[in-house]
Amino acid sequence: MRDLQGIDNLLLNELKSCCAKEYNFLPREAGLNLMESTSPEIHSRVSAKCRDSKVEELWSLTSFFGYRTQTFVQAVNLLDRFLTIMKVQPKHVPCIGVCCLHIAAKMVEEENNVSPSHELIRISQSRFTVSDLNRMEKIISQKLSVDPNVVTALTFLHLYHSAVGSLFAEREEIPSIGRLEAQLKACLCRLVFSKAKPSVLALSLIAQEFEDLQSATLLMSIQQFQKHLKIGDNELLHWKELVTKCMTEYRSSECNKPDNKKLVWIVSRRTAQSLQTCHFSVPGLPTIPEMSWDESESEDSSEDLSSVENSPCGSLGSDGEGAFFPSLFHH
């Protein structure tokens, strides 16, 4: 390990610069409080439960289309900022959420990797049209500062991780950035973490994840980050405790239980008829000789694709991921 002075000054300066900009991309706290106090039974306003459910669906769509973590984080940032400045009914949230993901994808992803509007609508099981999506995109762009260089918690997470990595001779000694990104996604599925400043939320993730290493050097580096960014001990402790609670629930056996929702496959009537015809016209196969079957393989290895109602974005829980970690879709 190198000493504390090994942290690159350019990284520290970039942290300061991002800290000065983060206030420009924060959702309004009054709007967040209103969502928290709104009961899910009230259909005239968006509740925290409605918002959290939509964020989980955006995570599923992000995984399905193979989008980057940055796309998901920026989509959630757009969604929260829009919901906290506009009077929105719950029935409009699906269109707004998918639109935020589409806007973020066009800012972050390579052009040939961005899913077409009609495909995004079809996979998300949405009931609005491409014209509705285009109109909503114009409204969001007019109301918000849609900046591809938006400062989010992911911005700080990468900077912190790079700075901490410079203190270690072997980077294997510290948790991977992918692990930290996954934990950030879990936090963003809860409205309460939208109240945290991005710089503080990211440092809270770093502090709780690196706590098990019991390294004096890491502790000193976190204190240095606090000093440069003027983050108080009480503020950091508050959010660190919430992050730890979220991660504890994520790791619990109850959270790890797979959800019984399944991905709904949409096929046309003609395709359905063709599939039924093929089912009854399959030619007989030759008998498999004894001992040719590999008994180590499961005879029932195919995924259950049964259709279930009210599953617009497929399974939101999977083995090893849990309620806050939507499973990867299988194309």
Side-chain angles (χ1 to χ4, degrees), residues 234-252:
N234 292 336
E235 184 180 15
L236 180 63
L237 179 62
H238 170 74
W239 290 108
K240 181 186 173 185
E241 289 177 348
L242 290 179
V243 167
T244 302
K245 181 180 178 182
C246 180
M247 293 302 103
T248 300
E249 293 176 356
Y250 154 62
R251 297 185 181 103
S252 69

Side-chain angles (χ1 to χ4, degrees), residues 102-173:
H102 194 50
I103 293 174
K106 289 192 292 186
M107 290 191 296
V108 175
E109 307 293 335
E110 298 291 337
E111 185 176 357
N112 59 340
N113 290 334
V114 178
S115 175
S117 299
H118 69 274
E119 186 72 7
L120 185 58
I121 293 173
R122 185 179 70 86
I123 296 299
S124 66
Q125 304 277 305
S126 301
R127 298 182 179 180
F128 51 86
T129 65
V130 173
S131 297
D132 295 331
L133 190 70
N134 292 336
R135 287 197 299 270
M136 183 59 68
E137 184 172 343
K138 291 181 180 179
I139 294 174
I140 293 176
S141 299
Q142 290 172 355
K143 297 296 181 180
L144 303 178
S145 174
V146 180
D147 187 348
N149 298 317
V150 58
V151 175
T152 64
L154 183 64
T155 308
F156 287 97
L157 198 62
H158 279 265
L159 290 173
Y160 290 144
H161 191 267
S162 296
V164 170
S166 66
L167 301 177
F168 287 78
E170 298 293 338
R171 295 187 64 89
E172 289 77 11
E173 297 177 12

